[in-house]
Protein backbone atom coordinates (compact mmCIF):
# COMPACT_ATOMS: atom_id res chain seq x y z
CA UNK A 1 0.00 0.00 0.00
CA UNK A 2 1.24 3.49 -0.78
CA UNK A 3 2.34 5.13 2.47
CA UNK A 4 1.93 8.89 2.94
CA UNK A 5 5.30 10.57 3.32
CA UNK A 6 6.08 13.11 5.99
CA UNK A 7 5.93 16.48 4.26
CA UNK A 8 9.67 17.20 4.49
CA UNK A 9 10.50 13.77 3.11
CA UNK A 10 8.02 14.20 0.30
CA UNK A 11 9.59 17.50 -0.72
CA UNK A 12 12.96 15.76 -0.82
CA UNK A 13 11.47 13.05 -3.03
CA UNK A 14 10.04 15.70 -5.34
CA UNK A 15 13.43 17.37 -5.63
CA UNK A 16 15.01 14.07 -6.64
CA UNK A 17 12.42 13.52 -9.36
CA UNK A 18 14.62 15.29 -11.90
CA UNK A 19 17.31 12.65 -11.60
CA UNK A 20 15.27 9.56 -10.78
CA UNK A 21 12.76 8.27 -13.31
CA UNK A 22 10.84 6.57 -10.53
CA UNK A 23 10.49 9.50 -8.12
CA UNK A 24 6.92 10.55 -7.58
CA UNK A 25 5.59 7.09 -8.46
CA UNK A 26 4.06 4.79 -5.82
CA UNK A 27 6.78 2.21 -5.32
CA UNK A 28 4.40 -0.74 -4.95
CA UNK A 29 2.78 -0.04 -8.31
CA UNK A 30 4.48 -1.77 -11.20
CA UNK A 31 5.60 0.34 -14.17
CA UNK A 32 4.45 -0.48 -17.66
CA UNK A 33 7.71 -1.40 -19.47
CA UNK A 34 6.44 0.09 -22.74
CA UNK A 35 5.70 3.57 -21.38
CA UNK A 36 7.88 6.41 -20.10
CA UNK A 37 9.27 5.49 -16.70
CA UNK A 38 7.80 8.54 -14.99
CA UNK A 39 5.03 9.36 -12.55
CA UNK A 40 2.98 10.96 -15.33
CA UNK A 41 3.04 9.08 -18.64
CA UNK A 42 -0.61 9.31 -19.74
CA UNK A 43 -3.79 11.34 -19.37
CA UNK A 44 -4.79 9.81 -16.00
CA UNK A 45 -1.15 9.89 -14.77
CA UNK A 46 -0.44 6.13 -14.82
CA UNK A 47 -1.75 2.73 -15.92
CA UNK A 48 -3.84 2.43 -12.75
CA UNK A 49 -5.54 5.76 -13.64
CA UNK A 50 -4.85 6.76 -10.04
CA UNK A 51 -4.67 10.54 -10.68
CA UNK A 52 -2.23 10.67 -7.77
CA UNK A 53 1.46 11.06 -6.97
CA UNK A 54 3.80 10.94 -3.98
CA UNK A 55 5.06 14.45 -4.82
CA UNK A 56 4.17 17.16 -2.29
CA UNK A 57 2.32 20.36 -3.17
CA UNK A 58 2.88 23.17 -0.64
CA UNK A 59 0.05 23.70 1.80
CA UNK A 60 -1.09 27.24 2.55
CA UNK A 61 -3.36 30.00 1.25
CA UNK A 62 -2.19 31.96 -1.75
CA UNK A 63 -3.20 34.61 -4.26
CA UNK A 64 -1.87 34.73 -7.81
CA UNK A 65 0.76 37.39 -8.58
CA UNK A 66 2.07 38.18 -12.08
CA UNK A 67 5.49 36.71 -11.36
CA UNK A 68 4.02 33.45 -10.00
CA UNK A 69 2.33 32.40 -13.25
CA UNK A 70 3.48 31.57 -16.75
CA UNK A 71 1.20 30.79 -19.70
CA UNK A 72 1.87 29.19 -23.06
CA UNK A 73 -1.30 29.88 -25.10
CA UNK A 74 -3.08 27.00 -26.82
CA UNK A 75 -4.95 26.61 -30.11
CA UNK A 76 -7.94 24.92 -28.48
CA UNK A 77 -8.61 22.97 -25.30
CA UNK A 78 -5.43 21.07 -24.36
CA UNK A 79 -6.00 18.10 -22.07
CA UNK A 80 -3.13 15.57 -22.01
CA UNK A 81 0.11 16.67 -20.35
CA UNK A 82 2.90 14.23 -19.54
CA UNK A 83 6.44 14.22 -18.21
CA UNK A 84 9.67 12.28 -18.59
CA UNK A 85 13.27 12.82 -17.50
CA UNK A 86 15.68 12.96 -20.45
CA UNK A 87 19.43 13.21 -19.76
CA UNK A 88 18.65 14.54 -16.27
CA UNK A 89 16.16 17.18 -17.45
CA UNK A 90 12.44 17.23 -16.75
CA UNK A 91 10.59 17.53 -20.06
CA UNK A 92 6.84 18.10 -20.45
CA UNK A 93 4.81 17.00 -23.45
CA UNK A 94 1.53 18.88 -23.75
CA UNK A 95 -1.22 18.42 -26.30
CA UNK A 96 -2.25 22.03 -26.86
CA UNK A 97 -5.36 21.47 -28.95
CA UNK A 98 -4.21 20.63 -32.45
CA UNK A 99 -0.52 20.00 -31.84
CA UNK A 100 2.06 18.58 -29.46
CA UNK A 101 4.30 21.03 -27.57
CA UNK A 102 7.56 19.98 -25.93
CA UNK A 103 8.35 22.19 -22.94
CA UNK A 104 10.85 22.50 -20.12
CA UNK A 105 11.31 24.91 -17.21
CA UNK A 106 14.48 27.04 -17.32
CA UNK A 107 15.24 29.55 -14.56
CA UNK A 108 11.67 29.22 -13.36
CA UNK A 109 10.19 29.93 -16.81
CA UNK A 110 8.42 27.68 -19.28
CA UNK A 111 10.33 27.35 -22.53
CA UNK A 112 8.91 25.68 -25.63
CA UNK A 113 11.55 23.41 -27.18
CA UNK A 114 9.68 21.98 -30.15
CA UNK A 115 6.22 21.34 -31.53
CA UNK A 116 4.52 19.07 -34.04
CA UNK A 117 1.10 20.05 -35.38
CA UNK A 118 -1.58 17.96 -37.04
CA UNK A 119 -3.85 19.14 -39.86
CA UNK A 120 -7.04 20.74 -38.57
CA UNK A 121 -10.00 18.98 -40.18
CA UNK A 122 -12.72 21.30 -38.94
CA UNK A 123 -14.91 23.64 -41.02
CA UNK A 124 -14.49 27.40 -40.64
CA UNK A 125 -11.42 27.13 -38.44
CA UNK A 126 -8.70 29.75 -38.71
CA UNK A 127 -5.67 29.83 -36.38
CA UNK A 128 -4.93 32.85 -34.21
CA UNK A 129 -1.68 34.12 -32.69
CA UNK A 130 -0.55 33.68 -29.08
CA UNK A 131 -1.28 37.35 -28.41
CA UNK A 132 -4.77 37.00 -29.90
CA UNK A 133 -5.38 33.99 -27.65
CA UNK A 134 -4.38 36.04 -24.60
CA UNK A 135 -6.74 38.77 -25.78
CA UNK A 136 -9.55 36.22 -25.97
CA UNK A 137 -8.97 35.28 -22.33
CA UNK A 138 -9.10 38.97 -21.34
CA UNK A 139 -12.33 39.49 -23.29
CA UNK A 140 -13.94 36.42 -21.72
CA UNK A 141 -12.99 37.72 -18.26
CA UNK A 142 -14.88 40.98 -18.91
CA UNK A 143 -18.04 39.08 -19.90
CA UNK A 144 -17.74 36.89 -16.80
CA UNK A 145 -17.26 39.87 -14.48
CA UNK A 146 -20.32 41.53 -16.04
CA UNK A 147 -22.26 38.23 -15.78
CA UNK A 148 -23.14 38.73 -19.44
CA UNK A 149 -23.80 35.16 -20.58
CA UNK A 150 -25.46 36.21 -23.85
CA UNK A 151 -22.59 38.52 -24.78
CA UNK A 152 -20.08 35.80 -23.91
CA UNK A 153 -21.78 33.26 -26.15
CA UNK A 154 -22.01 35.68 -29.06
CA UNK A 155 -18.34 36.57 -28.62
CA UNK A 156 -17.22 32.92 -28.58
CA UNK A 157 -19.26 32.12 -31.69
CA UNK A 158 -17.74 35.07 -33.54
CA UNK A 159 -14.14 33.92 -33.07
CA UNK A 160 -12.24 32.47 -36.04
CA UNK A 161 -10.79 29.57 -34.01
CA UNK A 162 -14.22 28.02 -33.22
CA UNK A 163 -13.94 29.07 -29.56
CA UNK A 164 -17.50 28.12 -28.62
CA UNK A 165 -17.03 24.48 -29.69
CA UNK A 166 -13.45 24.09 -28.46
CA UNK A 167 -14.17 21.19 -26.11
CA UNK A 168 -16.12 19.21 -28.71
CA UNK A 169 -13.43 19.97 -31.29
CA UNK A 170 -10.84 18.43 -28.98
CA UNK A 171 -12.62 15.08 -29.22
CA UNK A 172 -13.14 15.37 -32.98
CA UNK A 173 -9.72 16.70 -34.04
CA UNK A 174 -7.49 16.80 -30.99
CA UNK A 175 -6.53 14.30 -28.30
CA UNK A 176 -8.23 13.60 -24.98
CA UNK A 177 -6.59 10.33 -23.96
CA UNK A 178 -2.97 9.63 -24.92
CA UNK A 179 0.19 7.85 -23.76
CA UNK A 180 3.92 8.66 -23.73
CA UNK A 181 6.02 5.64 -24.69
CA UNK A 182 9.37 4.53 -23.25
CA UNK A 183 11.14 6.36 -26.10
CA UNK A 184 8.93 9.43 -25.58
CA UNK A 185 6.73 8.92 -28.60
CA UNK A 186 3.32 10.51 -28.08
CA UNK A 187 0.39 8.32 -29.18
CA UNK A 188 -3.12 9.77 -29.19
CA UNK A 189 -6.49 9.36 -30.84
CA UNK A 190 -9.11 11.72 -32.20
CA UNK A 191 -12.35 11.21 -34.07
CA UNK A 192 -11.59 8.07 -36.08
CA UNK A 193 -7.82 8.27 -36.28
CA UNK A 194 -4.87 7.17 -34.15
CA UNK A 195 -1.60 9.09 -34.46
CA UNK A 196 1.99 8.82 -33.26
CA UNK A 197 4.58 11.60 -32.92
CA UNK A 198 8.20 10.49 -32.40
CA UNK A 199 11.25 12.39 -31.19
CA UNK A 200 14.02 13.01 -33.72
CA UNK A 201 16.51 11.89 -31.03
CA UNK A 202 14.88 10.37 -27.92
CA UNK A 203 18.11 10.72 -25.93
CA UNK A 204 18.39 14.48 -26.49
CA UNK A 205 16.14 16.59 -24.21
CA UNK A 206 16.22 19.43 -26.76
CA UNK A 207 15.39 17.23 -29.73
CA UNK A 208 12.80 18.24 -32.25
CA UNK A 209 9.80 16.04 -33.07
CA UNK A 210 8.85 14.27 -36.25
CA UNK A 211 5.60 14.87 -38.13
CA UNK A 212 2.68 12.79 -36.92
CA UNK A 213 1.94 9.40 -38.49
CA UNK A 214 -1.73 8.49 -38.77
CA UNK A 215 -3.93 5.41 -39.01
CA UNK A 216 -7.55 5.93 -40.00
CA UNK A 217 -9.80 3.35 -38.38
CA UNK A 218 -12.23 1.64 -40.80
CA UNK A 219 -15.90 2.60 -40.85
CA UNK A 220 -16.82 -0.96 -39.88
CA UNK A 221 -15.45 -0.34 -36.36
CA UNK A 222 -17.98 2.41 -35.63
CA UNK A 223 -21.69 2.32 -34.80
CA UNK A 224 -23.29 5.75 -35.07
CA UNK A 225 -26.72 4.48 -34.12
CA UNK A 226 -25.54 2.96 -30.85
CA UNK A 227 -23.45 6.02 -29.96
CA UNK A 228 -26.29 8.46 -30.62
CA UNK A 229 -28.80 6.32 -28.72
CA UNK A 230 -26.86 6.50 -25.46
CA UNK A 231 -25.08 9.88 -25.65
CA UNK A 232 -25.74 13.43 -26.83
CA UNK A 233 -22.70 13.24 -29.12
CA UNK A 234 -23.24 13.39 -32.90
CA UNK A 235 -21.76 10.01 -33.78
CA UNK A 236 -19.40 7.20 -32.90
CA UNK A 237 -15.70 7.93 -32.42
CA UNK A 238 -12.56 6.67 -30.71
CA UNK A 239 -12.42 7.72 -27.09
CA UNK A 240 -10.08 6.15 -24.52
CA UNK A 241 -6.49 5.02 -25.01
CA UNK A 242 -3.89 3.01 -23.09
CA UNK A 243 -1.02 0.56 -23.47
CA UNK A 244 -1.26 -3.02 -22.30
CA UNK A 245 1.60 -4.29 -20.15
CA UNK A 246 2.49 -6.69 -22.97
CA UNK A 247 2.97 -3.83 -25.41
CA UNK A 248 -0.17 -3.24 -27.47
CA UNK A 249 -2.00 0.04 -28.00
CA UNK A 250 -5.58 -0.29 -26.82
CA UNK A 251 -8.42 2.11 -27.64
CA UNK A 252 -12.16 2.01 -27.05
CA UNK A 253 -15.03 3.66 -28.90
CA UNK A 254 -18.28 5.27 -27.85
CA UNK A 255 -20.11 2.57 -29.79
CA UNK A 256 -18.87 -0.22 -27.53
CA UNK A 257 -15.72 -1.57 -29.19
CA UNK A 258 -12.23 -2.22 -27.83
CA UNK A 259 -9.45 -2.28 -30.43
CA UNK A 260 -5.78 -3.28 -30.32
CA UNK A 261 -3.03 -1.87 -32.55
CA UNK A 262 0.68 -2.39 -33.07
CA UNK A 263 2.47 0.31 -31.06
CA UNK A 264 5.08 0.94 -33.79
CA UNK A 265 3.15 0.64 -37.06
CA UNK A 266 -0.34 1.52 -35.73
CA UNK A 267 -1.62 -1.51 -37.64
CA UNK A 268 -5.00 -2.75 -36.34
CA UNK A 269 -4.72 -6.21 -34.79
CA UNK A 270 -8.11 -7.07 -33.28
CA UNK A 271 -11.43 -5.67 -32.07
CA UNK A 272 -14.03 -6.70 -29.50
CA UNK A 273 -17.67 -5.62 -29.32
CA UNK A 274 -19.66 -5.52 -26.08
CA UNK A 275 -22.50 -8.04 -26.05
CA UNK A 276 -25.19 -5.60 -24.87
CA UNK A 277 -26.98 -3.90 -27.76
CA UNK A 278 -27.11 -0.58 -25.90
CA UNK A 279 -23.65 -0.63 -24.31
CA UNK A 280 -21.32 2.31 -24.81
CA UNK A 281 -17.89 3.32 -23.53
CA UNK A 282 -17.90 6.91 -22.32
CA UNK A 283 -14.60 6.88 -20.43
CA UNK A 284 -11.11 5.48 -20.84
CA UNK A 285 -9.69 2.48 -18.97
CA UNK A 286 -6.90 1.19 -16.76
CA UNK A 287 -4.33 -1.49 -17.61
CA UNK A 288 -2.42 -3.82 -15.31
CA UNK A 289 0.21 -6.59 -15.24
CA UNK A 290 -2.39 -9.24 -14.42
CA UNK A 291 -3.26 -11.96 -16.96
CA UNK A 292 0.31 -12.10 -18.29
CA UNK A 293 0.36 -8.36 -18.86
CA UNK A 294 -2.85 -8.27 -20.89
CA UNK A 295 -5.37 -6.96 -18.34
CA UNK A 296 -7.58 -4.09 -19.55
CA UNK A 297 -10.14 -2.73 -17.04
CA UNK A 298 -12.89 -0.95 -18.97
CA UNK A 299 -16.43 -0.03 -17.92
CA UNK A 300 -19.39 0.34 -20.25
CA UNK A 301 -22.58 2.06 -19.13
CA UNK A 302 -23.84 -1.29 -17.78
CA UNK A 303 -20.87 -3.55 -17.07
CA UNK A 304 -17.38 -3.58 -15.60
CA UNK A 305 -15.01 -5.69 -17.72
CA UNK A 306 -11.57 -7.14 -17.44
CA UNK A 307 -10.64 -8.01 -21.00
CA UNK A 308 -7.34 -9.70 -21.76
CA UNK A 309 -4.96 -8.89 -24.61
CA UNK A 310 -2.96 -12.01 -25.43
CA UNK A 311 0.66 -12.23 -26.60
CA UNK A 312 -0.42 -11.70 -30.22
CA UNK A 313 -2.66 -8.71 -29.48
CA UNK A 314 -5.92 -10.63 -29.71
CA UNK A 315 -8.65 -9.59 -27.26
CA UNK A 316 -10.06 -12.34 -25.02
CA UNK A 317 -13.21 -12.25 -22.90
CA UNK A 318 -13.24 -15.86 -21.69
CA UNK A 319 -12.61 -16.97 -18.12
CA UNK A 320 -9.82 -19.33 -19.15
CA UNK A 321 -7.83 -16.32 -20.39
CA UNK A 322 -8.38 -14.46 -17.12
CA UNK A 323 -11.19 -12.21 -18.34
CA UNK A 324 -14.35 -11.42 -16.41
CA UNK A 325 -17.38 -9.12 -16.43
CA UNK A 326 -19.74 -7.83 -13.74
CA UNK A 327 -22.94 -5.78 -13.89
CA UNK A 328 -23.44 -2.66 -11.80
CA UNK A 329 -26.27 -0.13 -11.33
CA UNK A 330 -26.36 1.93 -14.53
CA UNK A 331 -28.95 4.43 -13.25
CA UNK A 332 -30.60 6.87 -15.63
CA UNK A 333 -29.24 9.56 -18.01
CA UNK A 334 -28.47 12.89 -16.35
CA UNK A 335 -27.57 16.39 -17.48
CA UNK A 336 -24.17 17.81 -18.42
CA UNK A 337 -21.37 17.14 -17.84
CA UNK A 338 -22.59 13.52 -17.82
CA UNK A 339 -22.40 12.07 -21.33
CA UNK A 340 -25.00 9.35 -20.76
CA UNK A 341 -26.09 6.82 -18.16
CA UNK A 342 -23.85 4.47 -16.20
CA UNK A 343 -20.49 5.30 -14.69
CA UNK A 344 -18.82 8.64 -15.25
CA UNK A 345 -15.48 7.16 -14.17
CA UNK A 346 -12.45 5.81 -15.91
CA UNK A 347 -11.82 2.69 -13.76
CA UNK A 348 -9.06 3.11 -11.17
CA UNK A 349 -6.90 0.31 -9.77
CA UNK A 350 -6.34 0.13 -6.03
CA UNK A 351 -4.17 -2.12 -3.85
CA UNK A 352 -0.64 -3.12 -4.91
CA UNK A 353 1.17 -4.50 -1.84
CA UNK A 354 0.97 -8.24 -1.08
CA UNK A 355 -1.38 -7.70 1.88
CA UNK A 356 -3.76 -5.40 -0.02
CA UNK A 357 -7.10 -6.25 -1.53
CA UNK A 358 -6.63 -6.03 -5.31
CA UNK A 359 -9.47 -3.81 -6.55
CA UNK A 360 -10.75 -1.80 -9.49
CA UNK A 361 -12.94 1.16 -8.53
CA UNK A 362 -15.65 3.23 -10.24
CA UNK A 363 -18.66 5.33 -9.31
CA UNK A 364 -21.92 3.84 -10.57
CA UNK A 365 -24.90 5.50 -12.29
CA UNK A 366 -27.33 5.58 -9.35
CA UNK A 367 -29.14 8.84 -8.60
CA UNK A 368 -26.91 9.12 -5.54
CA UNK A 369 -23.86 7.41 -6.94
CA UNK A 370 -22.09 4.65 -5.08
CA UNK A 371 -18.37 4.11 -4.82
CA UNK A 372 -18.04 0.55 -6.15
CA UNK A 373 -14.99 -1.71 -5.86
CA UNK A 374 -14.61 -4.96 -7.80
CA UNK A 375 -12.13 -7.77 -7.14
CA UNK A 376 -9.78 -7.19 -10.06
CA UNK A 377 -8.10 -10.60 -9.96
CA UNK A 378 -9.34 -13.76 -8.24
CA UNK A 379 -12.38 -13.57 -5.95
CA UNK A 380 -11.29 -14.73 -2.46
CA UNK A 381 -12.11 -18.34 -1.58
CA UNK A 382 -15.37 -18.61 0.35
CA UNK A 383 -16.48 -15.11 -0.66
CA UNK A 384 -20.23 -14.55 -0.49
CA UNK A 385 -21.98 -11.86 -2.53
CA UNK A 386 -22.82 -8.85 -0.41
CA UNK A 387 -26.51 -7.91 -0.09
CA UNK A 388 -27.62 -5.20 -2.51
CA UNK A 389 -24.77 -5.72 -4.96
CA UNK A 390 -25.26 -6.76 -8.59
CA UNK A 391 -22.44 -9.30 -8.71
CA UNK A 392 -20.30 -11.45 -6.39
CA UNK A 393 -17.30 -9.70 -7.99
CA UNK A 394 -18.27 -6.48 -6.21
CA UNK A 395 -16.09 -6.36 -3.09
CA UNK A 396 -18.09 -3.48 -1.61
CA UNK A 397 -20.14 -0.44 -2.54
CA UNK A 398 -21.17 2.60 -0.54
CA UNK A 399 -23.52 5.46 -1.32
CA UNK A 400 -21.77 8.81 -1.64
CA UNK A 401 -23.37 11.23 0.81
CA UNK A 402 -22.62 14.90 0.11
CA UNK A 403 -24.85 16.23 2.89
CA UNK A 404 -28.37 17.69 3.26
CA UNK A 405 -30.07 18.82 0.07
CA UNK A 406 -27.80 16.77 -2.18
CA UNK A 407 -30.37 14.29 -3.48
CA UNK A 408 -28.57 13.81 -6.79
CA UNK A 409 -24.86 13.02 -6.65
CA UNK A 410 -23.05 12.08 -9.86
CA UNK A 411 -19.56 12.55 -11.25
CA UNK A 412 -18.06 12.59 -14.74
CA UNK A 413 -14.60 12.25 -13.17
CA UNK A 414 -12.43 9.29 -12.38
CA UNK A 415 -12.04 8.30 -8.72
CA UNK A 416 -8.70 9.59 -7.38
CA UNK A 417 -6.93 7.00 -5.24
CA UNK A 418 -3.83 7.08 -3.07
CA UNK A 419 -3.05 4.03 -0.96
CA UNK A 420 -6.23 3.07 0.89
CA UNK A 421 -7.84 6.51 0.37
CA UNK A 422 -10.24 7.62 -2.34
CA UNK A 423 -11.63 11.01 -3.35
CA UNK A 424 -14.70 11.86 -5.44
CA UNK A 425 -16.60 14.98 -6.49
CA UNK A 426 -20.16 15.78 -7.56
CA UNK A 427 -20.60 17.39 -10.98
CA UNK A 428 -24.40 17.72 -11.07
CA UNK A 429 -26.10 21.01 -10.22
CA UNK A 430 -28.50 20.96 -7.27
CA UNK A 431 -30.86 23.15 -9.29
CA UNK A 432 -30.27 23.15 -13.01
CA UNK A 433 -31.34 26.26 -14.87
CA UNK A 434 -31.58 26.63 -18.67
CA UNK A 435 -28.34 27.35 -20.51
CA UNK A 436 -28.14 29.50 -23.65
CA UNK A 437 -26.00 26.80 -25.26
CA UNK A 438 -25.01 23.16 -24.68
CA UNK A 439 -21.50 23.84 -25.98
CA UNK A 440 -19.36 22.40 -23.19
CA UNK A 441 -16.65 25.07 -23.44
CA UNK A 442 -19.25 27.78 -22.88
CA UNK A 443 -21.05 25.84 -20.11
CA UNK A 444 -17.76 25.31 -18.28
CA UNK A 445 -16.97 29.04 -18.44
CA UNK A 446 -20.28 30.15 -16.91
CA UNK A 447 -20.92 27.44 -14.29
CA UNK A 448 -19.59 28.74 -10.99
CA UNK A 449 -18.63 32.06 -12.59
CA UNK A 450 -21.87 33.78 -13.64
CA UNK A 451 -24.19 31.32 -11.86
CA UNK A 452 -23.87 28.71 -9.09
CA UNK A 453 -21.94 25.55 -9.87
CA UNK A 454 -22.36 21.97 -8.62
CA UNK A 455 -21.20 21.33 -5.07
CA UNK A 456 -19.83 18.32 -3.26
CA UNK A 457 -16.59 16.49 -2.46
CA UNK A 458 -16.01 13.44 -0.29
CA UNK A 459 -13.20 11.28 1.07
CA UNK A 460 -13.25 7.52 1.67
CA UNK A 461 -10.99 4.85 3.16
CA UNK A 462 -10.76 1.15 2.29
CA UNK A 463 -10.48 -1.41 5.12
CA UNK A 464 -8.49 -4.44 3.92
CA UNK A 465 -9.47 -6.50 6.96
CA UNK A 466 -13.21 -5.90 6.55
CA UNK A 467 -13.16 -5.57 2.74
CA UNK A 468 -15.30 -2.47 3.07
CA UNK A 469 -15.49 1.28 2.43
CA UNK A 470 -15.88 3.94 5.08
CA UNK A 471 -16.81 7.51 4.22
CA UNK A 472 -14.50 9.75 6.22
CA UNK A 473 -15.93 13.18 5.36
CA UNK A 474 -17.91 15.24 2.88
CA UNK A 475 -18.07 18.88 1.84
CA UNK A 476 -21.06 20.65 0.29
CA UNK A 477 -19.36 24.03 0.17
CA UNK A 478 -16.78 23.14 -2.50
CA UNK A 479 -17.50 23.20 -6.23
CA UNK A 480 -15.45 21.23 -8.76
CA UNK A 481 -16.79 22.19 -12.17
CA UNK A 482 -15.13 19.84 -14.64
CA UNK A 483 -11.50 18.98 -13.89
CA UNK A 484 -10.24 15.53 -12.98
CA UNK A 485 -9.10 15.95 -9.35
CA UNK A 486 -5.65 14.83 -8.25
CA UNK A 487 -4.19 13.60 -4.97
CA UNK A 488 -0.82 14.80 -3.68
CA UNK A 489 0.15 11.95 -1.39
CA UNK A 490 3.18 13.84 -0.15
CA UNK A 491 0.87 16.56 1.18
CA UNK A 492 -2.00 14.19 2.04
CA UNK A 493 -4.50 16.28 0.11
CA UNK A 494 -6.87 16.16 -2.83
CA UNK A 495 -6.82 19.11 -5.24
CA UNK A 496 -9.63 20.48 -7.41
CA UNK A 497 -10.10 23.57 -9.54
CA UNK A 498 -13.36 25.37 -8.82
CA UNK A 499 -15.11 27.55 -6.27
CA UNK A 500 -16.24 27.84 -2.69
CA UNK A 501 -20.04 27.84 -2.60
CA UNK A 502 -21.37 31.34 -2.09
CA UNK A 503 -18.20 32.87 -3.55
CA UNK A 504 -19.19 32.32 -7.16
CA UNK A 505 -17.05 34.06 -9.73
CA UNK A 506 -13.96 33.91 -7.50
CA UNK A 507 -12.04 30.89 -8.77
CA UNK A 508 -9.66 28.85 -6.62
CA UNK A 509 -7.56 25.72 -6.79
CA UNK A 510 -8.52 24.04 -3.52
CA UNK A 511 -6.59 21.42 -1.52
CA UNK A 512 -8.48 19.29 1.03
CA UNK A 513 -6.86 17.09 3.69
CA UNK A 514 -7.51 13.44 2.83
CA UNK A 515 -8.26 12.48 6.43
CA UNK A 516 -10.47 15.38 7.53
CA UNK A 517 -11.62 17.19 4.39
CA UNK A 518 -10.42 20.48 5.84
CA UNK A 519 -9.20 23.12 3.37
CA UNK A 520 -5.40 23.15 3.71
CA UNK A 521 -4.48 24.85 0.44
CA UNK A 522 -6.09 27.42 -1.83
CA UNK A 523 -4.78 29.41 -4.76
CA UNK A 524 -7.02 32.33 -5.69
CA UNK A 525 -7.29 33.09 -9.41
CA UNK A 526 -10.35 35.35 -9.25
CA UNK A 527 -12.42 35.83 -12.41
CA UNK A 528 -9.51 35.17 -14.77
CA UNK A 529 -10.58 32.27 -17.06
CA UNK A 530 -6.92 31.47 -17.72
CA UNK A 531 -7.09 29.42 -14.50
CA UNK A 532 -10.12 27.40 -15.61
CA UNK A 533 -8.98 23.77 -15.85
CA UNK A 534 -11.57 23.04 -18.57
CA UNK A 535 -11.99 19.24 -18.23
CA UNK A 536 -8.25 18.55 -17.86
CA UNK A 537 -6.69 16.40 -15.14
CA UNK A 538 -5.04 18.63 -12.54
CA UNK A 539 -1.29 17.93 -12.67
CA UNK A 540 1.98 19.08 -11.12
CA UNK A 541 5.67 19.12 -11.99
CA UNK A 542 8.37 17.35 -9.97
CA UNK A 543 8.78 20.43 -7.76
CA UNK A 544 5.10 20.47 -6.73
CA UNK A 545 4.06 23.40 -8.94
CA UNK A 546 0.66 23.14 -10.63
CA UNK A 547 1.43 22.65 -14.31
CA UNK A 548 -1.19 21.55 -16.84
CA UNK A 549 -3.28 22.62 -19.81
CA UNK A 550 -6.17 24.94 -18.91
CA UNK A 551 -8.80 26.83 -20.90
CA UNK A 552 -6.39 29.18 -22.69
CA UNK A 553 -3.09 27.36 -22.48
CA UNK A 554 -0.55 25.53 -20.34
CA UNK A 555 -0.21 27.28 -16.99
CA UNK A 556 2.58 26.89 -14.43
CA UNK A 557 1.73 28.18 -10.94
CA UNK A 558 4.61 28.65 -8.49
CA UNK A 559 3.37 29.16 -4.92
CA UNK A 560 6.81 30.34 -3.75
CA UNK A 561 6.22 33.54 -5.74
CA UNK A 562 2.60 34.06 -4.68
CA UNK A 563 1.12 36.34 -2.07
CA UNK A 564 0.17 34.52 1.13
CA UNK A 565 -3.31 35.42 2.38
CA UNK A 566 -5.48 34.64 5.39
CA UNK A 567 -7.76 31.59 4.94
Amino acid sequence: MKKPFRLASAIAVAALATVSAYAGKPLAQQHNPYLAQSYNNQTHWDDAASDSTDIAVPRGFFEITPESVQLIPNESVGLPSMMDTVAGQDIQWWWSGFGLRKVKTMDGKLVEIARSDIPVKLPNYAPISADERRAQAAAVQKFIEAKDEKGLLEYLKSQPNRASSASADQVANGAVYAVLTRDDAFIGCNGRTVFRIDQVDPKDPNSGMKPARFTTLPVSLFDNERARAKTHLPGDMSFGMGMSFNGFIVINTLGGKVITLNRETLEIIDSYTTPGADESFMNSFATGPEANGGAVYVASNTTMYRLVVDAKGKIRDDEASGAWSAKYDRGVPMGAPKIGDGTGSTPTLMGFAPEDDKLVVITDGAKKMRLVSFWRDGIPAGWKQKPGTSSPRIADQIEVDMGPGQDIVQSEQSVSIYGDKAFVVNNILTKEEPQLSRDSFYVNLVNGATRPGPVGAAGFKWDNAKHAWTQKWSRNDVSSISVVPMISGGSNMAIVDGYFAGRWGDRHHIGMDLDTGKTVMSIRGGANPMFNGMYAPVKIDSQGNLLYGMAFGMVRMDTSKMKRIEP
Side-chain angles (χ1 to χ4, degrees), residues 20 53 59 123 126 179 188 193 259 278 330 332 369 372 419 450 454 466 488 557:
S20 171
T53 176
R59 290 188 172 202
V179 298
T193 64
I259 304 163
D278 65 345
R330 67 188 294 185
V332 297
M369 67 183 184
V372 185
T450 62
K466 297 180 179 179
S488 165
M557 305 165 71

Side-chain angles (χ1 to χ4, degrees), residues 119 121 172-173 188-196 212-222 236-238 241 251 253 259-262 265-269:
K121 301 176 182 178
N173 199 82
C189 59
N190 61 9
R192 297 187 175 186
T193 64
V194 179
F195 58 92
R196 174 178 171 130
R213 291 187 285 121
F214 293 85
T215 287
T216 299
L217 303 174
V219 173
S220 59
L221 290 177
F222 296 93
D236 197 3
M237 63 187 73
S238 57
M241 168 171 280
I251 65 172
T253 71
I259 304 163
T260 52
L261 302 92
N262 181 289
T265 66
L266 306 185
E267 176 187 3
I268 296 169
I269 299 172

Side-chain angles (χ1 to χ4, degrees), residues 154-165:
E154 291 174 350
Y155 173 79
L156 294 174
K157 287 184 174 180
S158 73
Q159 298 305 294
N161 60 332
R162 294 172 55 98
S164 66
S165 60

Side-chain angles (χ1 to χ4, degrees), residues 482-505:
S482 68
V483 296
V484 183
M486 68 157 284
I487 291 176
S488 165
S491 299
N492 197 43
M493 67 178 172
I495 302 173
V496 301
D497 157 57
Y499 300 90
F500 293 103
R503 295 169 62 182
W504 306 117

Side-chain angles (χ1 to χ4, degrees), residues 18-29:
T18 57
V19 294
S20 171
Y22 289 91
K25 184 79 172 180
L27 298 180
Q29 186 179 322

Side-chain angles (χ1 to χ4, degrees), residues 310-386:
D310 70 16
K312 295 182 178 180
K314 298 292 185 179
I315 303 170
R316 308 294 182 186
D317 68 351
D318 59 294
E319 188 174 337
S321 298
W324 53 260
S325 64
K327 296 289 186 181
Y328 69 89
D329 186 351
R330 67 188 294 185
V332 297
M334 295 187 185
K338 288 280 288 184
I339 299 175
D341 62 356
T343 181
S345 301
T346 291
T348 305
L349 307 188
M350 182 179 196
F352 300 98
E355 68 275 14
D356 292 344
D357 289 338
K358 308 301 187 291
L359 308 171
V360 54
V361 182
I362 62 171
T363 53
D364 70 9
K367 184 178 178 182
K368 282 183 91 168
M369 67 183 184
R370 304 177 190 91
L371 189 61
V372 185
S373 56
F374 302 81
W375 299 108
R376 76 171 184 263
D377 212 1
I379 298 176
W383 177 260
K384 292 183 179 180
Q385 183 173 345
K386 288 189 176 182

